[in-house]
Amino acid sequence: MVSVLAAVGVVSTNGTNLCDNRVAGNLEEPQQDSMRLYELQTIEVTATRAGEQTPIAFTNLSKEEIADRNYGLDIPSLLALTPSMVATNETGIGIGGTSMRLRGTDATRLNVTMNGVAMNNPDSHAMYWYDTPDVASAVGDMQIQRGAGTSTHGTGAFGGAISMTSSSPATDFGGDVSMSYGSYNTQKQAVHLSSGLLGDHWMVDARLTHIGSEGYVDRGATDLKSYFLQGAYYDGRTVVKLLSFGGKAKTYLTYDGVSRADMERYGRRYHTGGQYTTEYGPHMLADGTRVDYYDDQTDNYLQLNNQLLISHQFGERWAMNLTGFYTYGYGYYKQYKDDAWLMGYNNLPTEIETADLIRQKKMENHFGGLNATFNYTARNLELLFGGSYSFYNSPHWGTLDWVEGMTPAEHAGRWYDNNVEKHDANLFAKVNWKFTQKLNLFADLQYRFVNYHAWGTNDNYDWTTYEMQPVAVDKQYHFLNPHIGLSYTPSERHNLYFSFAIAQKEPTRADFTDRYLFSSDREMQPSPELLFDYELGYRYTAPRLQLAANLYYMSYRDQLIHTGMVNDSSDALNVNVPESYRCGIELSAAWQATKWFTLGANTTLSRNMIRDYVDLLSESPTYGQNLGDKRISYSPEVLAGGFLDFHIKGFEAVVRTTYVGEQYFTNTENEALMLDAYCVTNLDLSYTLRSKALKSVRFGLTLYNLFNATYESNGYGYSYMYEGKRYDEAFYFPQAPLHALANVTVKF
């Protein structure tokens, strides 16, 4: 049976400390190769990982645990059952526009790395999972840290961090073929081959995947093609790996959501993306308007991630890892705009007031740098120190494919054009010191420097100045982030820990460029965020029972909090609040009751508040008012999950349930702008056959939303005054009712 205890956050924490991975001298040579290779590859992630004595809350997921549920869903959907996690999706089935929140903190404040290389976009700070399709199949293992976490590369971790490693090359020849098919024409085809160890030194590993779906939401189509390729050289003390992974994504734009009124009129699958009025349109709205839909209302993106990793162990005590990386990206939105105001496009003649048009919003990304880590291990001491440097450049521009009533020459040129450069560097030092048999000290100090420069004209048209919004940002930040804690192990099964950390983080691109959309102070710029994170926890680990409890208090200065509004690309608009906090308790348990039955659960009870919230949204009905202490938007006070796992002789049935409490879109606790609480249950069924000819054949079937719950996983909204009357606008992302996805995976 593959352990599912990771789902409740109480799995064992081995595999991250070089002290614990010595090679036994009596192993046979193939086993020595495998163990030695594994030992060397742990160096890659030691810098960003927590170990069993690290005083923070975290969950480890093994490759097997990820693979058992990896029928084609994006990683946020796979992590939905881990503690304090909320997964969201635009298409309604867990593929395409997915994201996550951890402890109420959105994805732009969750640090994501692969082999220590930052995966968050340096400009928006978001992780766009469909830009790296089927990355779950390429992951060797994963650690989800909650809170400030340990020092890492890239944007700061303000709610947590997700540290992934690429799968290790196998020392034996083999591979697998996987196929999935299910509701809404959801499908996955994947093939993987590994050469094994060639000539005692070389290994090659490759994977190709296609994932497609029509989506639950109308026209919510997803077409994802991906690859993963790695070559490795191994000589006993050194591993050199060259990785390239990524893919091409095409997804229909579904980020507009749908109002409750439209769901009642047209059904839960309705959305307006690509919709335009036309006299002879094949579809009729409730008011008699005839419409049609633009077929190519899509997000198109190509991303290629390249990494060169060198791991070397100098002796029993010293080890080193160097990682060079370069990521290239190019993509564009293609959108039909019905009856658009042409004044908002500075390359068009102004004699015409409105017209239908098709536009493209384009960007190109170049992201490269170097990470370096050195590790010293003695009997009771482990030291880590290193740093990184990265450079990011990303031009953004817009063109028009077609404008009603105009020739191509009349709408040629760019209607906005801007560029971004970002330098990001950090130095860090960590120590794990076991100064008594039962007491361990952890200390971590990071210095981070950020130089962010953006210039040009933005895609926003400013109706007060009658010009395209200028982009003019030139900021430098110096952040010093300390982390200290104690871990106490009174006996083999019990562990107590306490830690305190300070984390700081720069604003995102949208925080700079889009504040004028809601702020009365047009010159106001966002402030960096400051977090003081206190963690107190307990772990009990026995062969058949695991328990964990973690208390946290996260106090913020100038936290950037969602207003409920979004910009033209559906990026959340944020506002600094002087004082706020998140506090709560995370509880988890797992019990292997018998050889054939395991059960577990986790829950998070939290309070997420702004102190003396002053509404600074210029169009809000409560603008300028001090509303007192208010709940932070998108922060449920109750989260819970649980599973029942039945397994015997190759058969496994797992029932997984997730509960998410109510969430407000805004910070005014307006019940007209909120997500209702929801509870969703999935059923995983599988049977694995083994034979001499094949390693295994696994048949799987997952029934999602088993009890047909009607719910929405995400949304946005805002309030405004017009002619003396208040209006509340809310839009939602409905999720699919009962649906299924089947899978067959053959390993050889």
Side-chain angles (χ1 to χ4, degrees):
M1 179 199 71
V2 175
S3 170
V4 292
L5 302 187
V8 294
V10 291
V11 295
S12 61
T13 56
N14 59 352
T16 58
N17 190 323
L18 292 177
C19 302
D20 301 328
N21 292 299
R22 302 300 176 207
V23 179
N26 60 350
L27 295 179
E28 296 176 359
E29 194 62 32
Q31 293 173 304
Q32 287 181 338
D33 287 337
S34 299
M35 289 296 293
R36 188 62 173 171
L37 185 59
Y38 171 76
E39 178 181 320
L40 286 165
Q41 291 179 138
T42 61
I43 303 171
E44 296 170 9
V45 296
T46 303
T48 58
R49 287 287 177 94
E52 60 183 8
Q53 295 298 322
T54 309
I56 65 171
F58 64 95
T59 299
N60 286 339
L61 292 176
S62 69
K63 180 178 179 64
E64 291 75 20
E65 289 163 332
I66 297 168
D68 272 1
R69 300 183 61 200
N70 181 24
Y71 295 175
L73 302 190
D74 294 337
I75 279 183
S77 303
L78 300 179
L79 300 184
L81 200 62
T82 56
S84 299
M85 184 73 75
V86 175
T88 67
N89 181 243
E90 294 175 3
T91 66
I93 58 168
I95 298 174
T98 56
S99 190
M100 63 179 80
R101 300 189 187 97
L102 188 56
R103 289 186 179 175
T105 303
D106 77 296
T108 65
R109 287 154 182 80
L110 304 180
N111 177 272
V112 181
T113 57
M114 172 69 86
N115 300 324
V117 176
M119 297 293 290
N120 302 73
N121 180 282
D123 202 11
S124 69
H125 301 190
M127 173 63 189
Y128 302 100
W129 293 99
Y130 57 80
D131 289 343
T132 52
D134 197 33
V135 69
S137 295
V139 170
D141 60 19
M142 186 184 305
Q143 184 176 92
I144 302 99
Q145 300 177 7
R146 303 190 293 279
T150 64
S151 288
T152 186
H153 307 304
T155 58
F158 252 58
I162 299 172
S163 170
M164 302 180 290
T165 66
S166 56
S167 58
S168 302
T171 55
D172 298 318
F173 172 79
D176 57 80
V177 177
S178 180
M179 298 184 68
S180 301
Y181 189 79
S183 305
Y184 312 108
N185 198 27
T186 302
Q187 55 188 288
K188 174 185 175 182
Q189 305 89 31
V191 58
H192 166 234
L193 286 174
S194 185
S195 69
L197 196 58
L198 302 173
D200 297 328
H201 294 290
W202 299 93
M203 290 161 287
V204 179
D205 203 54
R207 180 185 299 276
L208 292 174
T209 304
H210 170 257
I211 298 173
S213 178
E214 294 177 2
Y216 169 66
V217 172
D218 287 340
R219 305 178 309 284
T222 301
D223 186 18
L224 310 175
K225 300 177 179 69
S226 71
Y227 76 97
F228 174 79
L229 177 65
Q230 69 173 325
Y233 173 83
Y234 159 66
D235 77 349
R237 287 193 174 273
T238 304
V239 170
V240 179
K241 293 203 297 185
L242 180 62
L243 305 178
S244 185
F245 63 95
K248 188 174 183 180
K250 184 170 186 175
T251 60
Y252 200 93
L253 294 178
T254 54
Y255 58 56
D256 288 337
V258 59
S259 68
R260 292 217 184 278
D262 279 346
M263 279 193 278
E264 292 176 2
R265 292 189 190 102
Y266 310 118
R268 293 174 56 78
R269 303 182 68 176
Y270 175 79
H271 78 105
T272 59
Q275 179 178 289
Y276 62 95
T277 59
T278 176
E279 183 178 356
Y280 302 104
H283 309 282
M284 183 179 291
L285 300 182
D287 62 0
T289 303
R290 288 198 168 273
V291 300
D292 202 353
Y293 295 94
Y294 178 53
D295 290 337
D296 203 14
Q297 184 93 351
T298 55
D299 179 7
N300 303 265
Y301 200 77
L302 170 71
Q303 182 166 298
L304 308 176
N305 302 272
N306 305 284
Q307 300 178 3
L308 176 63
L309 301 98
I310 303 173
S311 299
H312 180 73
Q313 192 157 356
F314 296 99
E316 289 299 309
R317 296 190 174 183
W318 282 98
M320 173 199 73
N321 174 249
L322 299 176
T323 303
F325 56 91
Y326 171 70
T327 299
Y328 172 78
Y330 171 76
Y332 59 92
Y333 287 160
K334 202 167 186 179
Q335 299 170 297
Y336 193 106
K337 289 296 181 179
D338 189 22
D339 207 24
W341 284 91
L342 300 191
M343 190 179 292
Y345 298 85
N346 66 358
N347 60 327
L348 296 181
T350 58
E351 293 81 8
I352 304 174
E353 189 173 82
T354 63
D356 292 358
L357 57 84
I358 298 173
R359 69 183 192 181
Q360 290 194 37
K361 299 174 70 174
K362 303 180 180 181
M363 65 184 303
E364 186 175 46
N365 289 329
H366 302 273
F367 176 55
L370 177 68
N371 297 341
T373 304
F374 297 89
N375 176 282
Y376 173 81
T377 304
R379 182 179 178 183
N380 296 319
L381 180 68
E382 184 174 22
L383 296 174
L384 278 163
F385 53 92
S388 70
Y389 167 78
S390 66
F391 173 75
Y392 175 76
N393 173 259
S394 180
H396 299 65
W397 70 98
T399 61
L400 298 173
D401 284 4
W402 169 79
V403 180
E404 182 183 23
M406 292 188 187
T407 66
E410 290 178 298
H411 60 73
R414 300 182 174 187
W415 55 281
Y416 71 93
D417 194 353
N418 61 76
N419 206 339
V420 171
E421 286 187 356
K422 183 176 183 179
H423 299 263
D424 193 329
N426 76 74
L427 295 171
F428 67 87
K430 300 182 184 182
V431 59
N432 266 304
W433 178 29
K434 191 173 184 178
F435 60 91
T436 72
Q437 189 64 28
K438 298 180 179 181
L439 201 58
N440 189 86
L441 170 69
F442 171 80
D444 179 358
L445 181 63
Q446 181 200 53
Y447 165 73
R448 182 165 174 250
F449 169 74
V450 177
N451 186 342
Y452 181 76
H453 182 41
W455 67 96
T457 56
N458 204 18
D459 58 339
N460 297 323
Y461 185 77
D462 191 335
W463 292 94
T464 59
T465 63
Y466 300 104
E467 294 179 349
M468 300 302 291
Q469 181 201 11
V471 177
V473 183
D474 190 2
K475 290 287 187 179
Q476 293 78 41
Y477 301 98
H478 300 269
F479 297 138
L480 193 64
N481 302 317
H483 193 160
I484 191 166
L486 289 172
S487 176
Y488 177 61
T489 308
S491 64
E492 182 181 358
R493 296 183 176 182
H494 301 271
N495 176 251
L496 291 161
Y497 61 85
F498 170 78
S499 69
F500 169 72
I502 296 176
Q504 300 173 80
K505 182 179 175 299
E506 74 277 18
T508 69
R509 171 190 176 89
D511 293 329
F512 284 107
T513 61
D514 295 330
R515 297 180 76 81
Y516 87 99
L517 295 173
F518 64 82
S519 174
S520 59
D521 183 355
R522 308 185 65 80
E523 303 302 319
M524 182 177 66
Q525 289 198 338
S527 302
E529 303 172 89
L530 175 63
L531 164 65
F532 302 93
D533 182 20
Y534 303 83
E535 306 274 340
L536 175 65
Y538 167 76
R539 304 184 187 105
Y540 174 83
T541 306
R544 295 175 58 180
L545 177 65
Q546 297 186 358
L547 305 171
N550 188 76
L551 290 165
Y552 65 90
Y553 180 77
M554 304 167 71
S555 176
Y556 297 86
R557 301 292 181 270
D558 293 321
Q559 182 179 186
L560 283 160
I561 289 179
H562 288 349
T563 64
M565 301 173 66
V566 297
N567 66 11
D568 188 52
S569 299
S570 199
D571 297 317
L573 301 183
N574 304 314
V575 62
N576 286 113
V577 295
E579 293 189 35
S580 56
Y581 67 89
R582 303 180 188 272
C583 64
I585 181 170
E586 298 163 328
L587 303 171
S588 55
W591 177 38
Q592 186 177 344
T594 69
K595 290 183 179 180
W596 52 269
F597 178 53
T598 306
L599 68 161
N602 70 71
T603 187
T604 300
L605 306 175
S606 66
R607 185 170 174 82
N608 311 274
M609 302 296 293
I610 305 171
R611 299 184 190 275
D612 293 321
Y613 176 60
V614 177
D615 189 351
L616 296 178
L617 309 188
S618 57
E619 301 297 323
S620 172
T622 55
Y623 171 69
Q625 297 180 25
N626 186 327
L627 303 179
D629 291 357
K630 290 294 181 181
R631 277 179 57 177
I632 300 175
S633 57
Y634 299 97
S635 300
E637 293 185 334
V638 180
L639 293 171
F643 72 88
L644 303 173
D645 184 348
F646 303 87
H647 42 273
I648 185 169
K649 295 182 178 179
F651 172 77
E652 186 168 16
V654 185
V655 180
R656 294 182 171 91
T657 297
T658 301
Y659 174 84
V660 178
E662 64 183 26
Q663 305 170 64
Y664 291 105
F665 295 153
T666 70
N667 301 297
T668 59
E669 298 184 13
N670 182 354
E671 294 188 359
L673 303 173
M674 65 177 292
L675 282 173
D676 293 330
Y678 61 87
C679 183
V680 181
T681 298
N682 301 332
L683 173 62
D684 294 337
L685 301 171
S686 66
Y687 185 72
T688 303
L689 297 171
R690 304 184 187 277
S691 68
K692 293 182 179 180
L694 297 170
K695 288 183 180 178
S696 66
V697 180
R698 186 175 187 270
F699 302 91
L701 174 67
T702 298
L703 300 177
Y704 299 97
N705 197 358
L706 185 63
F707 301 115
N708 219 29
T710 300
Y711 74 105
E712 298 86 35
S713 70
N714 201 10
Y716 61 96
Y718 49 91
S719 301
Y720 64 94
M721 299 294 293
Y722 181 70
E723 295 183 348
K725 186 177 179 180
R726 177 190 179 116
Y727 292 87
D728 295 316
E729 300 281 355
F731 302 89
Y732 302 86
F733 296 96
Q735 301 301 289
L738 171 65
H739 59 291
L741 188 59
N743 173 267
V744 177
T745 299
V746 179
K747 294 185 178 181
F748 55 88

